[in-house]
Amino acid sequence: MSNNVEDGISRSGTIVAVAITVVMLSFFAVLLRLISRLALLRRATLDDFFIVVAWLIALAMSIVMCLATHYGLGKHDQYIHPERRGTLQRLQYVFSVLYNPALVATKTSILIFYLSLTSVTGRVFKSATIVTLVVVNVAGLVLAILNIIQCLPIDTAFQYPKPDGARCISILNLALASAPVNIITDLAILFLPLPTFTSLRIPKRQKVVLVFIFATGGFVTAVDVVRIAYLQQASQIGVHWGNLNDTQDNNMEDPNFFWYASQAIMWSLVEVNIGITCACIPTLKPVACWAANYLQSRSSIWTSPRKLLNTSRQQLERGSTTGRPEDTTIDRRSNQHFNNLREPGGGRFSQFLHIDINLGTIPSSENIFSDLARSPNLESLINLSTKQSIRPLLIINTLCFIIGFTEGTLLDLTCKFRVLTEMTQLQIRVTYAIYYCGYFVAPVTFGWIILQKYSFKTTIITGLCIYSCGMLIFWPSAVLGSLPAFMASNLIIGTGIATLELGINPFVALCGRPDYPEVRLNLSYFVRGLGGTVSQFVVREPIFGSFGNPRTLIIAQWEYLGLAVLCLISMLVIYYLHLPDADNEDLSNHSSGWGAIDIPRTTRFKFNVTYIILAFGIATQLFYKPVETSIGLIQISYLSPLARVGAQACLTAGRLVAAIIMLFLKPRHVLALFQFAAVAVTVAAAVAASQIDRKGVAVNNMLLLFFISPIYPTTMGICLRGLGARIKPASVAIVAASSAAAIVLSVVGKLLDRSTCRRAWLLMVGLVIPMIVFPLYLNMSPIARKLADSVRDKESQPASMDGRSRDDSGGGGWELT
């Protein structure tokens, strides 16, 4: 770097060249779009207006950046004349204010264009587009306001040097904090039309070309990632990591700011113009058709442009440009829609060019997203044989491994954030409590609606989407060192995980023979825990370095982004994979093995035993999750990182051991065995807590985690038996019970602060002992035993293992005699 300073190397020439290149590229794209719409289509829509506005803002940004190079942008401080610093900062201020409106106008244009397609797509696509449009504009407005008031008073933002008393937020940190919003909206715009286009009844080659045209928007996300990298490089020069919340800090006061920030500013301009160009590409088909006719007719020097235009119109009306008969271009439903779009004298040409692309034959306006709901062609989930259930279980368990891996990585990153921001014990407890509040938010608000109205697959996709958004929100919290943003990130992550459990738990329980749901659930949670254990070895020091290195937080941001992208890719893969499902009619069918059982009411309380078992299961979960999280707090206070990895391994191993034992013993016996062992370990740990060292605490933690690990999945499997169409609401209630951990965490934390861990162990004794009631009831009540063990009886085994139910079995494997 010293050589660069001595030689006076400047980036100004490169910046000007890039600015002129990209703005001219976007200019020609917008020009061709206007020719398509005004000259060929003879009409302009609202999306054209927004794209013109976006290009005008981009032109203003290019002019501002070129002027800024004249005043010193891209140079080291020693080569910038002091009298020009004030003008340079004014130009930089204007550029930062224009950036977000340019992106908002571009994305609004694309989304309005999507809305013009909703007549031949469906309500799901329209609703998702409207939601994305609202998010884009609201977030853009907030970010624009923040850039305007980046300093208080506002006029101090473009003064040099800064007057005393000015309070400013670093513009680089502000730009980094807004990165997740841009990435989320970019990916949403990229993925929104893909389900529609992949459902079209057009030749595969045309479908690939169509998807590729719209997938060009991925270049914008790639450019945004490059821009973020340069933003981080520039911000690291002057960020004082010892006080991340210092609002007095402003990078423009740091040496050589305009040298290091020049590349980030240049890539911001590239991102805007590339976005405008990509937004215009899907609308250029009319120009391409006209150009094709021109090239075919260029041998004739007497062919006039008007004649070429008329020829293009006639060929498009006949469908000759697509090489398909006119009757098969669109189906009858789409024909009805396009007939409403006809204008006098416009003919099919104006209809065809109204959407600028050939949508081909669309199955149905209501069925484009039919895969999100139960498809009539999919086989029922609960009628699958063992062989048929292998494929969907492998898919879901692979997803569970990914979820476990991301959870373990997030735990490690959370520890780094806690150390670097010097969070207090109270703040740590509040953060964990907010995470478990998500287990209440998801089931109570939207989770049960999605699960009941749509399918398990839709619930899983929704959970992955929310989970990814939560991880991306970590980015601004790390950049600004904001504890509220970090807590919001944890709440959204917890909501996403809870939504995933709403879809995965009943799916795994129902997928396969009805006599082994507890085994499948324990194996599923074993795979999830295995992913978490593997992550503890992968993401430790070799990648991240020591906890004390402040730049670790910068690396952690990229890891969060990588995890979010991994979940988004998983979401896309899950969408395109065909998974079986079960609706309420299937679940109510006695012959399926999961139907509601007509069990007599108890003589005293007059309640159906299935609901009594469900109530005990919910109560067990109310105590189980607080115990598990309390052990986590003890681990943070007393255990080393390596010991925490061992505790995670014990939690994982316990589920595998329980699943193997359940192949030979009844689930209620295994549940009682593990719960009584957990009580014994907890009581012993509470008695010896004041006399053992940290190693003894670690051993107690590992043993307790081992014995409580199968309680949740086994309880879930037993409680879903005999509920029929009420299986989905029951799983929602059990997942929602996990939110009780948010209340218990505060009590355990206070006990750890005021004394040794003995009182915390005594509290856990009080939580573990009530959990014994459930296995005692299952083993002592004759009716409960019949319900839990009905499919294990030889005379009531499922009749057919080829996916069909037995005709002569009446109640299948669940009927009680």
Side-chain angles (χ1 to χ4, degrees):
M1 185 176 66
S2 60
N3 293 334
N4 292 343
V5 175
E6 292 174 1
D7 298 337
I9 294 178
S10 173
R11 294 172 176 162
S12 302
T14 303
I15 294 173
V16 172
V18 171
I20 294 175
T21 301
V22 295
V23 78
M24 291 304 297
L25 177 65
S26 62
F27 167 74
F28 284 113
V30 174
L31 179 62
L32 292 175
R33 176 181 181 136
L34 294 179
I35 292 174
S36 298
R37 294 298 178 91
L38 299 178
L40 298 177
L41 181 62
R42 295 180 180 177
R43 63 183 300 174
T45 53
L46 191 59
D47 55 322
D48 301 317
F49 169 77
F50 277 102
I51 205 66
V52 171
V53 171
W55 184 82
L56 292 176
I57 298 175
L59 177 63
M61 293 172 63
S62 301
I63 295 173
V64 168
M65 195 170 71
C66 291
L67 288 175
T69 58
H70 175 70
Y71 287 95
L73 180 65
K75 297 180 180 179
H76 291 278
D77 279 10
Q78 68 182 83
Y79 297 105
I80 302 176
H81 198 281
E83 295 180 356
R84 296 187 173 185
R85 290 295 295 265
T87 304
L88 183 57
Q89 293 195 178
R90 291 186 184 92
L91 293 171
Q92 183 276 328
Y93 176 81
V94 173
F95 186 91
S96 64
V97 170
L98 292 176
Y99 171 74
N100 284 293
L103 291 181
V104 170
T106 304
K107 295 176 182 180
T108 300
S109 174
I110 298 173
L111 292 169
I112 291 176
F113 174 72
Y114 285 178
L115 288 176
S116 69
L117 308 178
T118 54
S119 298
V120 288
T121 53
R123 290 177 296 177
V124 176
F125 180 79
K126 181 178 180 180
S127 301
T129 303
I130 293 175
V131 170
T132 307
L133 184 61
V134 171
V135 171
V136 165
N137 284 271
V138 172
L141 178 63
V142 171
L143 292 173
I145 294 174
L146 289 176
N147 277 280
I148 293 173
I149 61 172
Q150 58 186 257
C151 285
L152 293 176
I154 296 178
D155 58 347
T156 59
F158 38 83
Q159 294 181 12
Y160 181 82
K162 288 288 184 291
D164 296 336
R167 297 180 60 83
C168 299
I169 301 176
S170 169
I171 57 171
L172 291 178
N173 287 352
L174 190 59
L176 283 171
S178 65
V181 177
N182 291 334
I183 294 175
I184 291 173
T185 53
D186 286 345
L187 293 176
I189 292 173
L190 178 63
F191 291 136
L192 268 176
L194 292 184
T196 300
F197 297 150
T198 53
S199 301
L200 299 178
R201 294 174 183 169
I202 58 177
K204 184 177 181 181
R205 183 176 180 181
Q206 294 183 17
K207 186 182 296 185
V208 171
V209 172
L210 185 62
V211 172
F212 176 78
I213 289 175
F214 279 82
T216 54
F219 289 109
V220 181
T221 306
V223 172
D224 195 20
V225 171
V226 175
R227 166 182 168 269
I228 291 170
Y230 281 110
L231 282 171
Q232 287 188 338
Q233 182 184 24
S235 66
Q236 291 181 48
I237 303 301
V239 172
H240 304 290
W241 292 94
N243 188 4
L244 290 171
N245 296 307
D246 187 6
T247 57
Q248 298 284 354
D249 178 42
N250 193 305
N251 297 94
M252 289 187 295
E253 299 292 336
D254 298 318
N256 297 322
F257 167 78
F258 289 105
W259 165 263
Y260 292 105
S262 59
Q263 289 181 307
I265 294 174
M266 180 185 71
W267 280 100
S268 299
L269 183 63
V270 172
E271 178 192 6
V272 171
N273 284 278
I274 293 296
I276 294 173
T277 304
C278 293
C280 294
I281 290 177
T283 66
L284 302 184
K285 181 177 180 178
V287 173
C289 294
W290 185 88
N293 282 282
Y294 175 78
L295 293 176
Q296 292 175 2
S297 305
R298 65 180 180 177
S299 58
S300 176
I301 60 174
W302 302 104
T303 304
S304 64
R306 181 177 295 276
K307 185 176 180 180
L308 287 173
L309 182 59
N310 293 333
T311 303
S312 299
R313 292 176 182 277
Q314 294 172 2
Q315 290 180 350
L316 285 172
E317 288 178 4
R318 294 195 303 266
S320 61
T321 57
T322 61
R324 294 166 59 89
E326 184 180 359
D327 293 339
T328 60
T329 301
I330 50 178
D331 62 2
R332 295 178 180 177
R333 185 187 297 268
S334 300
N335 279 330
Q336 182 179 0
H337 162 69
F338 282 124
N339 287 335
N340 296 330
L341 296 175
R342 289 194 175 190
E343 298 177 352
R348 184 169 298 281
F349 179 77
S350 61
Q351 303 165 19
F352 180 77
L353 294 183
H354 173 74
I355 54 177
D356 304 318
I357 56 175
N358 182 12
L359 288 183
T361 305
I362 300 176
S364 170
S365 62
E366 299 298 329
N367 294 330
I368 289 297
F369 287 84
S370 61
D371 199 32
L372 291 176
R374 166 74 186 276
S375 174
N377 296 326
L378 289 179
E379 190 168 3
S380 175
L381 178 66
I382 54 181
N383 287 331
L384 299 179
S385 65
T386 302
K387 183 178 179 180
Q388 292 171 330
S389 64
I390 292 177
R391 177 183 171 274
L393 285 176
L394 282 177
I395 294 173
I396 294 300
N397 283 320
T398 302
L399 179 62
C400 288
F401 182 86
I402 294 174
I403 295 171
F405 183 85
T406 55
E407 282 182 313
T409 307
L410 291 177
L411 178 62
D412 188 79
L413 297 178
T414 300
C415 294
K416 290 174 171 56
F417 184 90
R418 185 182 73 245
V419 172
L420 293 174
T421 55
E422 300 178 354
M423 292 175 61
T424 64
Q425 291 296 323
L426 176 61
Q427 291 172 337
I428 295 173
R429 293 195 298 269
V430 171
T431 301
Y432 276 102
I434 288 176
Y435 170 84
Y436 284 104
C437 286
Y439 278 82
F440 180 80
V441 172
V444 173
T445 55
F446 60 88
W448 66 275
I449 299 176
I450 297 175
L451 186 61
Q452 284 277 45
K453 187 175 181 180
Y454 294 99
S455 62
F456 298 119
K457 181 177 179 178
T458 309
T459 309
I460 293 171
I461 291 175
T462 304
L464 286 172
C465 182
I466 298 173
Y467 190 31
S468 303
C469 292
M471 287 187 283
L472 287 175
I473 292 177
F474 172 82
W475 195 293
S477 63
V479 171
L480 302 176
S482 173
L483 184 60
F486 180 68
M487 291 182 176
S489 173
N490 277 269
L491 175 62
I492 298 174
I493 289 174
T495 304
I497 291 294
T499 308
L500 284 168
E501 291 187 6
L502 288 178
I504 292 176
N505 288 343
F507 182 93
V508 173
L510 295 170
C511 186
R513 293 173 54 178
D515 45 348
Y516 292 113
E518 299 86 0
V519 175
R520 292 192 294 270
L521 282 168
N522 274 281
L523 289 176
S524 176
Y525 274 88
F526 160 74
V527 173
R528 179 173 167 181
L530 184 63
T533 305
V534 171
S535 69
Q536 298 300 308
F537 292 98
V538 174
V539 303
R540 299 200 59 79
E541 315 304 319
I543 294 180
F544 289 109
S546 63
F547 281 128
N549 185 3
R551 298 183 188 274
T552 296
L553 206 54
I554 291 290
I555 304 175
Q557 295 170 10
W558 289 103
E559 291 301 318
Y560 266 88
L561 177 61
L563 294 176
V565 171
L566 177 62
C567 289
L568 290 174
I569 293 175
S570 302
M571 179 182 68
L572 194 62
V573 171
I574 290 293
Y575 174 83
Y576 284 106
L577 291 175
H578 293 284
L579 294 177
D581 198 74
D583 54 21
N584 291 336
E585 183 179 355
D586 292 331
L587 296 174
S588 300
N589 185 9
H590 282 214
S591 63
S592 66
W594 283 97
I597 304 174
D598 187 16
I599 293 184
R601 301 177 184 271
T602 56
T603 57
R604 183 174 181 181
F605 298 103
K606 305 300 180 181
F607 288 120
N608 193 305
V609 69
T610 54
Y611 299 132
I612 296 177
I613 291 177
L614 176 61
F616 277 123
I618 295 173
T620 300
Q621 182 64 3
L622 286 173
F623 292 106
Y624 166 79
K625 210 63 178 181
V627 171
E628 187 181 42
T629 52
S630 299
I631 297 173
L633 282 182
I634 294 177
Q635 291 177 359
I636 293 175
S637 302
Y638 291 93
L639 270 62
S640 64
L642 183 60
R644 289 198 292 268
V645 174
Q648 173 66 29
C650 289
L651 181 67
T652 302
R655 290 160 179 165
L656 177 62
V657 173
I660 295 174
I661 296 176
M662 287 180 194
L663 295 174
F664 307 98
L665 299 180
K666 296 179 179 180
R668 58 185 174 87
H669 293 158
V670 178
L671 181 64
L673 174 66
F674 275 80
Q675 284 201 350
F676 276 103
V679 171
V681 172
T682 308
V683 172
V687 173
S690 60
Q691 303 175 358
I692 58 177
D693 55 7
R694 291 180 179 268
K695 292 183 179 180
V697 174
V699 172
N700 290 334
N701 272 267
M702 293 179 184
L703 289 175
L704 182 57
L705 284 174
F706 178 86
F707 288 115
I708 69 169
S709 60
I711 292 177
Y712 176 39
T714 306
T715 301
M716 174 72 73
I718 293 176
C719 289
L720 297 184
R721 294 183 181 277
L723 290 176
R726 297 178 179 84
I727 285 178
K728 293 181 179 180
S731 62
V732 169
I734 295 173
V735 171
S738 301
S739 59
I743 301 174
V744 179
L745 277 173
S746 58
V747 179
V748 176
K750 288 184 179 180
L751 294 176
L752 292 174
D753 289 342
R754 295 180 180 180
S755 62
T756 63
C757 64
R758 181 178 182 181
R759 293 186 179 180
W761 280 105
L762 290 174
L763 176 62
M764 282 193 288
V765 170
L767 294 173
V768 172
I769 289 179
M771 295 166 60
I772 305 177
V773 178
F774 183 46
L776 287 178
Y777 174 75
L778 290 176
N779 286 276
M780 297 178 65
S781 171
I783 301 179
R785 288 200 304 267
K786 290 182 179 180
L787 176 62
D789 302 337
S790 58
V791 295
R792 294 297 179 94
D793 298 335
K794 293 183 180 180
E795 66 271 14
S796 56
Q797 285 287 340
S800 176
M801 290 297 102
D802 59 357
R804 295 171 297 179
S805 59
R806 185 170 56 188
D807 295 334
D808 58 351
S809 60
W814 289 94
E815 184 179 14
L816 297 181
T817 57

